[in-house]
């Protein structure tokens, strides 16, 4: 220990002498006390006090566990991540402009096998005989057309319009014959919102030579799935006399209606409103190309005698609501673009005549005969902004060329547009395919499949092919379907149909990345019987996504949406076609294909074209019954042929590939782990198929709340219930397939598959594959049950169920998606809340809970487990108990039964369920049962008792056991509330009535019996904490349990109050020795106790340790243990008393500076210090010699010279202080100090050596206090202390014969006088009544007589000699 330099000589310290035991030094870790230098030494020590030493910063203690790696995902979380990744990948399907690059192309894949045909004829619906009967009566004109989206066709015969459902075998005709003029045009449009009743969803716009009529159309679906159409008179019409209306178009978004006549290229709009106003009728027309009075004058042709050129007029109008634009095509192949502005505005923006288009095309393509001034544009089709932010229009020429236009919007920023078209340029030209009537040349490139023929610009086609000449009708439907009606010969009676569709598989995954901009299309030819009049889309427009990326991904929605269907009206009937999905083509390839390479060759070709994952996903879909085909009766049915399903199963199993490892799997370690495994394409295919089944529900909310028409709550399913049932059915088929073929699928076969591996890597790869596949299987099961649960929910009174939820649960329900319901714990918890609400509603309505729970378990077992059923049964028992009298035997039996049930499923009880049960028990005063239930739940939540071990280890941070502790603590808090309820109830009622305990008192006793008999140590500790927090110390002292001792003993290490309570607890039960040990520990502790408190604890400890009890409290404790405790207490108490003396001295020490005094006093008024620290840092430094002597004694220090010098210094100090203060005589002060020290030293032979002190004091008295005080005051002082007379006598005798200064010669008389004083006092005290004998016996008396005789012979002076003889004679007289 570093100290400052001191003036006193260095000597061995107390406690450091080899043969001297010393008390333990200051505990390591405590801050050393800086010694105090009172001698004014200005020489600094070599070591600077208080200097801080810096240490290198360590990352952690040696042997500390490294930071715990994050846990791996669960199976369901892993599967959810896979599904999200797959859906995200499919959403990245490129927009049109990515694969329709600037320039031209003529690539078509023309299947040579019908199995690969992109479209399929469904049926030809004949025109009813009634139509032909009416047609035969025509006098002026007839027209035909389709209302494809409502499955109707129409025909006009002069002034009459007839409509019929062409899908019905015997349709009913709907007629419009209420006007006399010939009909010139018919169009079905959407009405303006809010003008008509909700039942009218369409308007039939009928143009005649005189007027335009608006007829309301109500369309609905019958139970058989047919469309039922009803017509309603709206009494809205407007005169169009002289316009000769030929073209009508309506906006689906705004309900605006435009029309054009044959006489010019003016554009008119029909305005209509619900009621007539002052300056505006209910129905009127507006000419947007003229203004002023011209708009209301009739169109009267001018009279001229010169030959006039045929006027240009509009032949087609199309509207793009996404860009708010109207496009028109004129009879001279001029395209005009108009902006739809405001409510009724129309602004002309762009005009592109055909000559300019040809010039623009000349920069894109080489010269071709297919595009020349004689070529005409026969139709235009829009491309919505959702489908492509860049391409906006496609024009079809009479030679079958498709011209794509790119648009720039008026607010085009960053590659996206959000306004009307302001500029339009030619982007791409797609030429017709090779003429099928021409033979294929050797220049044809090799096809990747025998079933396909790829035709490109190198083939005899492209810029020179006339295969689509002459095209009369050509329409585009999203996402790129084209239907061309071709009249090969001018007088041909039958048209030819060419249909094309983009190949989504190769667009999404091009075989060659360098061909990513290639425009792959399937094409096929189909002969038509008769001349085509119209064509239309029967199904809803295709859209796989709400934005351009992913919009055209047909593969992604092939299991989610039905394929697109088209209708073509000819003079012989209505031909219907359907777009075949890839799964249909796959099934057909198995069913009808094969070719020279067989079915396996077809599979390999599909893998080569579309990738193994896509091919395997489709094979799995076919095996699960997703493939469809047109049956002989013209119905689209599922393909269920056993040979087709079996081969699809074989393809999934045999062509699924094998798992591998990530590229960096072997970089950092020798052996890869399961996390490094890259699953097989089979897993990819399974993930793709599962994701496509779930895509429509995955991110969708479960339900939607809205106000009903009557103002109440209406809860609707966001996804149609029929759709949910279809998804559930498809998932069930997938589950059945996987269960049936589990042993054949590598990765699902289980442990048996491990016998087929040969290396460790293969084993790890198989384990990774098993984990990946099992996660998908688990997800499929969860989704099936989750959907079943939602369907069950909507079978109940869902509004009542929702209203019964808490506001927080209700909010979560409105925000929860199907994904969260299937895959997250929050979703499961919410589902359990809903199940509980459903069951509670049924219980409240009187339904049998077993019936409800059995239904739930049968349909969605994971949402209603067996434990849930038991909980619901217990809740029913509780409800019945509440309906009975709380004191009846029936009620108690029901309560006990409910407790038994709840204890059986304690591990499954949520905190909400537990609190509810406890509330019910409290209300029925079933306190003991409530406490038993809570204790059972706490125990089941931590069956390994890990929370207790966490507490015993000091509650380390970042430990998983902390969560278990918190959960158990929440349970114990519930018990606290039960105790409060028990006390409150018991406090308000008498304990006894007529000498008997009341029911309330009995129930309180039962509750406390359960509490005190519990063996849950963590609960008991928690309970005791709560008792003390409430100030119930006496209640804790009354608890006789070993847990109390363990609790207080553990808490006493960190809490003074708990330690103080521990010794009181021991003393309360008469275990005084243990109480003394606790008090001893308190005195030695590092608590913020004053020295006085520590001395008090030691004093009490000494008293308790010295107290013996009769009984079993100290049984088994050896006597030696008690003595050791007493000795340790006494030793420590002595040191504490020394430290207290030093404290009192330093408080009044004038030599201490004001700055230093507080720190010194604080140090001494704290923990009891070691003796060497008290000596070196305080007593010796301050020259407190009396304290040094006490320290010598406490440390059993035996160095005589140090002890002698300390006594000498002390006497000198006392004498000097007395002289300086002049209060009392110095000898009196010396007497007081020596007697004080002697008593505290217990006249120790080492620290109170009489043989040393007596000569020292005799010299002091002779030299400094001669003639002061009474004679012989020195020996009188020793006698008063209890020093034996013989010791004093023999010491004085030695001094007499020693002849040492100052006792030489006559001065030796002083010694003789003191010897006589000792002898007389000894004689008097031993000859009193009751004494045994003079001087203790004859031997001692003879010895004293001899001493006196020898003294008389030494030549004493007469007076002293007489005294000596007198005393000797008196002694000898006794023994005569």
């Amino acid at each position: 220990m570093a100290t400052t330099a001191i003036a006193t000589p260095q000597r061995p310290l107390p406690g450091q002498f080899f043969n001297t035991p010393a008390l333990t030094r200051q505990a390591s870790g405590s801050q050393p006390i800086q010694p105090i230098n009172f001698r004014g030494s200005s020489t600094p020590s070599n070591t600077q006090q208080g200097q801080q030493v810096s240490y290198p910063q360590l990352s952690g203690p040696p042997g500390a566990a490294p930071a715990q790696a994050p846990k791996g995902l669960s199976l369901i979380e892993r599967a959810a991540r896979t599904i999200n990744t797959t859906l995200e990948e499919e959403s990245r399907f490129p927009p049109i402009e990515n694969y329709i690059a600037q320039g031209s192309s003529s690539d078509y894949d023309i299947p040579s096998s019908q199995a690969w045909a992109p479209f399929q004829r469904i049926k030809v619906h004949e025109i009813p005989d009634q139509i032909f009967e009416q047609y035969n009566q025509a006098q002026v004109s007839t027209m035909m057309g389709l209302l494809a989206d409502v499955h109707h066709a129409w025909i006009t015969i002069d002034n009459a319009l007839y409509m019929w459902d062409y899908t019905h075998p015997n349709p009913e005709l709907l007629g419009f014959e209420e006007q006399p003029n010939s009909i010139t045009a018919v169009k079905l449009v959407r009405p303006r919102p809010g003008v008509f009743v909700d039942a009218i969803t369409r308007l039939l716009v009928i143009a005649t030579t005189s007027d335009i009529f608006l007829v309301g159309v109500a369309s609905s679906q019958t139970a058989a799935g047919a469309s039922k159409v009803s017509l309603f008179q709206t009494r809205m019409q407007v005169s169009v006399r002289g316009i000769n209306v030929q073209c009508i178009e309506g906006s689906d978004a705004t309900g605006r209606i435009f029309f054009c006549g044959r006489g010019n290229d003016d554009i008119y709009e029909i305005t209509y409103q619900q009621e007539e106003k002052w300056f505006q009728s209910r129905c009127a027309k507006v000419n947007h190309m003229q203004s002023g009075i011209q708009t209301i004058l009739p169109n009267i042709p001018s009279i001229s005698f010169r030959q006039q050129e045929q006027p240009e007029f509009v032949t087609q109008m199309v509207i793009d609501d996404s860009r708010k634009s109207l496009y028109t095509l004129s009879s001279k192949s001029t395209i005009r673009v108009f902006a739809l502005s405001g409510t009724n505005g129309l602004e002309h923006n762009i005009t592109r005549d055909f000559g300019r288009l040809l010039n623009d095309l000349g920069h894109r393509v080489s010269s071709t005969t297919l595009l020349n001034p004689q070529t005409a544009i026969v139709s235009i089709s829009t491309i919505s902004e959702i489908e492509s932010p860049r391409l906006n229009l496609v024009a079809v020429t009479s030679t079958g060329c498709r011209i794509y236009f790119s648009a720039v919007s008026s607010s085009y920023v960053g590659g996206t547009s959000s306004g009307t078209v302001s500029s339009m340029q030619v982007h791409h030209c797609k030429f017709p395919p090779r003429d099928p009537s021409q033979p294929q040349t050797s220049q044809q490139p090799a096809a990747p499949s025998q079933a396909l023929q790829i035709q490109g610009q190198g083939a005899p086609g492209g810029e020179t092919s006339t295969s689509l000449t002459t095209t009369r009708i050509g329409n585009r439907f999203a996402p790129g379907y084209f239907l061309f009606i071709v009249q090969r010969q001018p007088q041909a009676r039958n048209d030819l149909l060419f249909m094309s569709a983009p190949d989504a598989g190769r667009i999404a995954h091009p075989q060659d990345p360098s061909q990513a901009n290639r425009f792959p299309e399937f094409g096929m030819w189909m002969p038509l019987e008769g001349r085509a009049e119209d064509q239309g889309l029967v199904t809803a427009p295709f859209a796989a996504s709400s934005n351009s990326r992913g919009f055209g991904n047909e593969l992604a929605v092939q299991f989610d949406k039905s394929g697109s269907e088209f209708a073509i009206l000819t003079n012989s009937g209505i031909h219907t076609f359907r777009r075949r999905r890839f799964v249909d083509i796959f099934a057909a390839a198995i069913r009808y294909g094969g070719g020279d390479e067989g079915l396996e060759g077809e599979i390999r070709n599909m893998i080569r074209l579309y990738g193994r994952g896509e091919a395997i996903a489709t094979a799995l879909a076919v095996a699960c019954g997703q493939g469809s085909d047109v049956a002989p009766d013209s119905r689209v049915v599922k393909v269920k042929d056993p040979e087709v399903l079996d081969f699809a199963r074989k393809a999934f199993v045999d062509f699924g590939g094998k798992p591998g490892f990530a590229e960096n799997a072997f970089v950092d370690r020798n052996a890869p782990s399961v996390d490094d495994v890259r699953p097989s394409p089979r897993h990819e295919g399974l993930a793709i198929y599962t994701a496509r089944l779930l895509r429509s529900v995955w991110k969708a909310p479960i339900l939607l709340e809205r106000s009903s028409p009557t103002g109440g709550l209406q809860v609707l399913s966001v996804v149609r219930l029929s759709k949910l049932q279809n998804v559930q059915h498809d998932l069930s088929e997938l589950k059945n397939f996987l269960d049936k073929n589990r042993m054949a699928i590598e990765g699902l076969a289980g442990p048996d598959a491990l016998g087929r591996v040969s290396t460790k890597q293969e084993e790890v790869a198989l384990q990774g594959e098993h984990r990946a596949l099992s996660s998908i299987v688990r997800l499929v099961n969860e989704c099936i049950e989750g959907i079943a649960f939602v369907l069950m929910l909507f079978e109940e009174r869902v509004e009542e169920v929702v209203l019964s939820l808490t506001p927080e649960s209700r909010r979560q329900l409105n925000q929860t998606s199907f994904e969260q319901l299937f895959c997250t714990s929050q979703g499961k918890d919410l589902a359990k809340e809903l199940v509980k609400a459903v069951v509670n509603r049924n219980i409240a309505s009187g339904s049998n809970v077993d019936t409800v729970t059995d239904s739930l378990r049968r349909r969605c077992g994971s949402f209603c487990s067996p434990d849930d059923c038991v909980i619901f049964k217990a809740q029913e028992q509780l409800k019945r108990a509440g309906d009975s009298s709380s004191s009846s035997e029936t009620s108690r039996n029901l309560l006990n039964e409910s407790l038994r049930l709840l204890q059986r499923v304690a591990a499954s009880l949520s905190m909400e369920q537990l609190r509810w049960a406890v509330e019910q028990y409290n209300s029925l005063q079933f306190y003991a049962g409530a406490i038993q239930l809570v204790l059972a739940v706490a125990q089941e939540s931590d069956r390994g008792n890990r929370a207790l071990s966490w507490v015993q280890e000091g509650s380390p941070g970042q430990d998983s056991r902390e969560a278990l502790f918190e959960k158990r603590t929440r349970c114990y808090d519930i018990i606290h509330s039960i105790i409060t309820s028990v006390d409150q109830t018991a406090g308000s009622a008498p304990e006894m009535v007529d000498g008997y305990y009341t029911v309330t008192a009995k129930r309180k006793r039962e509750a406390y019996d359960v509490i005190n008999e519990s063996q849950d140590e963590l609960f008991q500790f928690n309970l005791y904490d709560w008792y003390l927090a409430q100030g119930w110390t006496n209640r804790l002292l009354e608890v006789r349990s070993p847990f109390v001792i363990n609790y207080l003993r553990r808490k006493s290490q960190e809490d003074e109050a708990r330690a103080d309570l521990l010794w009181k607890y021991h003393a309360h039960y008469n275990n005084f020795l243990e109480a003394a040990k606790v008090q001893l520990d308190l005195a030695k502790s590092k608590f913020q106790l004053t020295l006085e408190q520590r001395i008090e604890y030691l004093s009490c400890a000494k008293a308790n340790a010295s107290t013996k009890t009769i009984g079993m409290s100290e049984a088994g404790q050896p006597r030696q243990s008690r003595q050791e405790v007493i000795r340790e207490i006494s030793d420590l108490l002595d040191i504490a008393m020394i430290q207290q003396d030093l404290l009192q001295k330093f408080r009044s020490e004038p030599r201490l500076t004001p700055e230093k005094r507080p720190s010194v006093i604080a140090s001494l008024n704290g923990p009891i210090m070691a003796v060497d620290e008290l000596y070196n840092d305080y007593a010796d430094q301050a020259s407190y010699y009396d304290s040094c002597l006490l320290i010598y004694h406490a440390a059993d220090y035996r160095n005589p010279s140090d002890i002698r010098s300390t006594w000498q210094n002390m006497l000198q100090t006392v004498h000097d202080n007395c002289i300086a203060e002049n209060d009392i005589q110095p000898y009196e002060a010396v007497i007081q100090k020596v007697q004080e020290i002697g008593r505290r030293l217990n006249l120790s032979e080492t620290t109170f050596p009489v043989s040393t002190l007596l000569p020292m004091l005799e010299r002091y008295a002779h030299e400094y206090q001669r003639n002061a005080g009474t004679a012989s005051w020195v020996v009188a002082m020793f006698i008063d202390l209890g020093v034996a007379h013989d010791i004093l006598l023999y010491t004085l005798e030695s001094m007499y014969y020693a002849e040492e200064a100052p006792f030489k010669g006559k001065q030796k008389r002083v010694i003789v006088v003191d010897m006589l004083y000792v002898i007389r006092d000894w004689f008097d005290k031993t000859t009193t009544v009751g004494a045994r004998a003079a001087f203790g016996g004859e031997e001692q008396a003879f010895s004293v007589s001899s001493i006196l005789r020898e003294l008389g012979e030494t030549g004493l002076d007469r007076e002293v000699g007489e005294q000596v003889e007198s005393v000797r004679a008196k002694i000898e007289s006794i023994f005569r």
Side-chain angles (χ1 to χ4, degrees), residues 997-1163:
Y997 285 103
T998 62
V999 175
T1000 303
K1002 291 179 180 179
R1003 291 175 180 172
K1004 177 181 179 181
R1005 185 179 60 191
E1006 292 172 356
Y1008 277 99
D1009 287 345
V1010 172
I1011 292 172
N1012 295 330
E1013 293 173 4
S1014 172
Q1015 297 302 307
D1016 187 344
E1017 184 175 359
L1018 190 62
F1019 161 65
Q1020 296 290 358
F1021 286 8
N1022 177 274
L1023 179 68
Y1024 303 153
D1025 277 335
W1026 184 68
Y1027 278 170
L1028 296 179
Q1030 304 300 313
W1032 296 342
T1033 304
N1034 292 334
R1035 178 177 292 191
L1036 179 62
L1037 293 177
E1038 294 299 327
V1039 178
R1040 188 158 192 151
S1041 170
F1043 290 124
V1044 178
I1045 297 176
N1046 294 338
Y1047 165 78
L1048 292 176
R1049 183 174 294 143
R1050 182 174 301 165
K1051 293 291 186 178
S1052 65
Q1053 304 299 321
E1054 57 190 29
D1055 190 346
E1056 173 194 349
R1058 302 293 194 274
D1060 187 72
L1061 193 60
L1062 176 59
W1063 78 261
K1064 291 179 181 177
Y1065 184 86
H1066 285 306
H1068 184 75
Y1069 292 101
N1070 299 327
N1071 195 350
F1072 297 109
L1073 181 58
E1074 291 299 322
K1077 292 178 181 179
V1078 175
Q1079 290 170 327
L1080 174 61
D1081 292 336
L1082 271 169
K1084 294 160 57 178
S1085 70
K1086 296 182 179 179
F1087 293 136
Q1088 297 297 321
L1089 299 173
T1090 64
L1091 184 61
E1092 183 179 358
Q1093 290 174 312
R1094 296 176 190 273
I1095 293 174
E1096 182 181 357
Y1097 278 126
L1098 289 172
S1099 301
C1100 294
K1102 190 173 183 179
N1104 284 324
S1106 302
T1107 304
K1108 295 182 179 180
T1109 58
I1110 300 175
M1112 299 299 295
S1113 61
E1114 296 185 11
Q1117 295 184 0
R1119 177 180 178 85
Q1120 183 180 3
S1121 174
R1122 176 185 295 276
Q1123 298 302 322
E1124 290 175 353
V1125 172
I1126 293 175
R1127 184 173 62 252
E1128 182 180 1
I1129 293 173
S1130 299
D1131 292 345
L1132 193 61
L1133 182 59
D1134 290 342
I1135 299 173
M1137 296 304 296
I1138 296 172
Q1139 184 171 333
Q1140 187 180 41
D1141 290 343
L1142 291 173
L1143 175 62
Q1144 297 302 326
K1145 291 176 181 178
F1146 278 111
R1147 280 177 174 165
S1148 58
E1149 176 59 62
R1151 292 172 293 174
L1152 271 179
T1153 63
E1155 296 79 10
K1156 193 67 176 177
R1157 186 184 305 276
S1159 63
V1160 172
I1161 293 176
S1163 300

Side-chain angles (χ1 to χ4, degrees), residues 327-544:
Y327 303 88
T328 66
L329 175 65
S330 75
S331 57
K332 295 184 178 180
S333 299
T334 299
I335 299 175
R336 294 181 175 87
V337 184
F338 299 86
L340 302 175
S341 58
T343 305
N344 296 311
L346 187 70
E347 299 176 2
H348 180 206
N349 286 348
I350 305 172
T351 298
R352 292 291 183 268
D353 57 49
F354 191 64
R356 182 173 176 181
L357 292 180
L358 290 178
N359 290 334
D360 292 343
L361 285 168
H363 299 288
R364 304 287 184 188
V365 301
S366 57
S367 177
T368 173
T369 57
L370 299 180
L371 296 172
N372 57 64
Q374 285 71 41
T375 305
I377 297 178
V378 297
S379 66
I380 55 176
S381 301
T382 62
I383 301 174
S384 69
E385 190 174 26
I386 298 176
E387 188 175 357
S388 172
R390 187 173 180 184
L391 303 183
N392 67 314
L393 192 69
V394 180
V396 178
T397 68
S398 58
T399 56
C401 296
R402 285 178 273 163
I403 304 173
Y404 290 85
F405 294 91
S406 62
V408 176
S409 170
S410 58
S411 56
Y412 185 84
V413 178
T416 60
S417 57
S418 58
T420 58
V421 176
S422 60
S423 176
M424 190 169 68
Q425 303 293 333
V426 173
H427 181 80
H428 184 89
C429 181
K430 182 83 171 188
F431 289 103
R434 181 184 59 84
D435 193 335
S437 62
Q438 296 181 2
Q440 185 173 354
T441 66
S442 59
Q443 297 179 358
Q444 182 73 20
S449 171
Q450 291 182 350
L452 298 178
Q453 299 176 5
I454 298 181
Q455 301 179 3
Q457 295 184 10
E463 293 92 339
T464 61
S465 174
T466 59
S467 60
L468 296 181
T469 305
T470 302
T471 297
R472 295 194 301 106
I473 304 174
N475 287 328
R476 180 191 184 276
F477 303 95
Y481 308 138
F482 273 92
L483 276 63
F484 295 86
I485 304 298
V486 183
Q487 185 179 9
R488 301 298 294 273
Q489 301 296 331
Q491 303 300 324
R493 303 185 62 180
N494 295 329
D495 287 335
L496 190 63
L497 172 64
F498 179 75
M499 311 175 75
S500 68
D503 188 352
R506 280 185 287 171
I507 292 174
H509 306 288
Q511 295 173 289
D512 186 356
S514 63
Q515 297 182 356
N517 293 332
R518 183 173 174 269
F519 184 9
E521 275 190 301
F522 279 116
M524 65 175 293
W525 299 90
M526 186 77 68
L528 295 177
E529 298 176 1
R531 177 181 174 83
E533 299 293 339
D534 197 4
Q535 58 181 232
L537 179 64
V538 176
T539 55
F542 179 91

Side-chain angles (χ1 to χ4, degrees), residues 3-25:
T3 61
T4 55
I6 56 178
T8 54
Q10 296 297 317
R11 49 184 175 266
L13 300 179
Q16 293 183 344
F17 199 78
F18 290 127
N19 297 324
T20 306
L23 295 179
T24 305
R25 285 179 172 270

